[in-house]
């Protein structure tokens, strides 16, 4: 997927360049643009003087965004079971994009929009108060202290998420890292005036977001817990 604007696709200053097989590459080249508005997002970002935002299809009851969907398991499952809702998935990892594209074609899904852009840029092009729910399922915890600045949960991203959601208690982050949870809670407490209230809990077996992704299950198999932060 060659593009003129590599900066919008780069993550931590580098392009995610894990090997991708030729069939997956061909699949992306053939179908990706049918299920993505990345080019429009880039136009918005390049026109920030007029501050244009993306037009989100308005024929759905609910608009969801999942950031960092990995292999897309949660995204696909929800898109299949809730055809009246729109699921926008943002993922820099191309193999994940290919995997979801395969499922979109296999199941004939119409309610998924994909983005391969770095979510920091993608979110900037979303209209204010346009999104019903946002999911961040086990974002990379970057455990080493010197890598903490790479974490997704930052003041900047929280500001963007807050701006684009329609109401409170609609941003859901899960993590198996108590350290990441604690640091995010500290950040939220520090900026309580900007972000308002939040709640955290340990997920139980019957909870909707329990065990719903590869990273979550890996943590559970290793005896870990899954924490949920709602804001
Ligand atoms: C630890 S994995 C979790 C994947 C999946 N949610 C799960 O639980 O199995 C984090 C994912 O977030 C993606 N990611 C990290 N930073 C991102 C960013 N700035 N924008 C979009 N995706 C990002 C990574 O490529 C990776 O697939």
């Amino acid at each position: 997927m060659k593009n003129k604007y590599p900066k919008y696709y780069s993550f931590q200053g580098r392009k995610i360049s894990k090997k991708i097989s030729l069939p997956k590459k061909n699949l992306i080249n053939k179908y990706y643009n049918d299920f993505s508005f990345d080019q429009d997002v880039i136009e918005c970002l390049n026109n920030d003087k007029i501050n244009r935002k993306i037009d989100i299809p308005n024929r759905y009851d609910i608009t969801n965004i999942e950031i960092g969907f990995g292999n897309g398991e949660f995204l696909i499952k929800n898109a299949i079971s809730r055809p009246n809702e729109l699921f926008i998935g943002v993922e820099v990892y191309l193999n994940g994009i290919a995997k979801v594209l395969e499922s979109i074609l296999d199941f004939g899904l119409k309610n998924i929009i994909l983005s391969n852009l770095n979510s920091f840029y993608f979110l900037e092009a979303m209209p204010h108060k346009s999104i019903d729910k946002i999911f961040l399922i086990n974002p990379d915890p970057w455990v080493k202290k010197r890598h903490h600045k790479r974490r997704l949960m930052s003041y900047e991203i929280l500001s963007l998420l807050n701006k684009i959601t329609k109401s409170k208690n609609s941003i859901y982050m899960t993590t198996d890292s108590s350290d990441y949870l604690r640091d995010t809670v500290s950040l939220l407490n520090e900026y309580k005036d900007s972000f308002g209230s939040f709640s955290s809990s340990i997920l139980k077996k019957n909870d909707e977001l329990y065990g719903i992704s590869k990273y979550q299950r890996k943590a559970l198999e290793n005896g870990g817990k899954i924490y949920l932060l709602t804001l």
Side-chain angles (χ1 to χ4, degrees), residues 3 15 63 79 111 132 200 208 222:
N3 59 77
K15 178 82 187 119
T63 301
N111 57 338
D132 295 278
S200 67
E208 207 186 326
N222 291 329

Side-chain angles (χ1 to χ4, degrees), residues 6-201:
K7 116 171 172 182
Y8 298 130
Y9 295 82
S10 75
F11 171 59
Q12 309 301 350
R14 62 194 152 87
K15 178 82 187 119
I16 296 284
S17 57
K18 265 198 182 169
K19 272 201 174 148
I20 177 153
S21 67
L22 190 61
K24 281 189 177 153
K25 209 171 180 174
N26 290 340
L27 180 83
I28 289 174
N29 286 336
K30 192 163 175 195
Y31 294 107
Y32 181 67
N33 287 336
D34 296 345
F35 296 96
S36 158
F37 46 40
D38 281 355
Q39 290 318 309
D40 207 16
V41 171
I42 288 171
E43 267 178 40
C44 289
L45 294 169
N46 283 334
N47 266 324
D48 59 356
K49 269 192 215 113
I50 32 180
N51 207 10
R52 185 170 85 76
K53 301 290 179 196
I54 206 89
D55 288 324
I56 298 176
N58 58 8
R59 59 183 179 280
Y60 295 96
D61 297 344
I62 289 183
T63 301
N64 304 277
I65 294 185
E66 184 181 355
I67 297 170
F69 60 70
N71 66 14
E73 187 182 340
F74 179 65
L75 194 72
I76 294 157
K77 193 171 157 228
N78 279 297
I80 292 173
S81 62
R82 299 178 192 177
N84 296 337
E85 298 187 20
L86 176 65
F87 291 88
I88 302 175
V90 190
E91 174 55 70
V92 286
Y93 169 52
L94 267 180
N95 275 300
I97 295 274
K99 198 124 199 229
V100 173
L101 264 183
E102 269 169 5
S103 299
I104 287 178
L105 298 172
D106 286 351
F107 294 101
L109 299 174
K110 304 261 185 286
N111 57 338
I112 292 188
I113 292 177
L114 291 172
S115 176
N116 185 222
L117 302 173
N118 181 336
S119 54
F120 285 97
Y121 293 112
F122 180 84
L123 295 171
E124 266 181 41
M126 294 298 110
H128 291 184
K129 296 199 177 296
S130 60
I131 308 298
D132 295 278
K133 292 180 186 178
I134 300 184
F135 298 92
L136 300 104
I137 307 297
N138 289 46
D140 295 291
W142 294 110
V143 283
K144 289 186 185 147
K145 200 162 178 131
R146 69 173 192 278
H147 290 154
H148 281 187
K149 56 183 180 298
R150 296 182 178 182
R151 286 174 169 174
L152 209 53
M153 285 309 219
S154 59
Y155 175 81
E156 289 70 28
I157 205 140
L158 285 167
S159 304
L160 285 169
L161 299 178
N162 244 26
K163 241 184 240 169
I164 67 171
T165 40
K166 290 180 185 170
S167 58
K168 276 296 296 171
N169 299 321
S170 50
I171 302 165
Y172 307 92
M173 175 220 187
T174 64
T175 182
D176 59 293
S177 162
S178 54
D179 189 48
Y180 197 5
L181 176 81
R182 194 196 52 232
D183 291 348
T184 311
V185 164
S186 302
L187 188 68
L188 288 166
N189 276 325
E190 191 178 345
Y191 295 101
K192 215 162 194 161
D193 289 349
S194 315
F195 303 133
S197 60
F198 61 89
S199 60
S200 67
S201 60

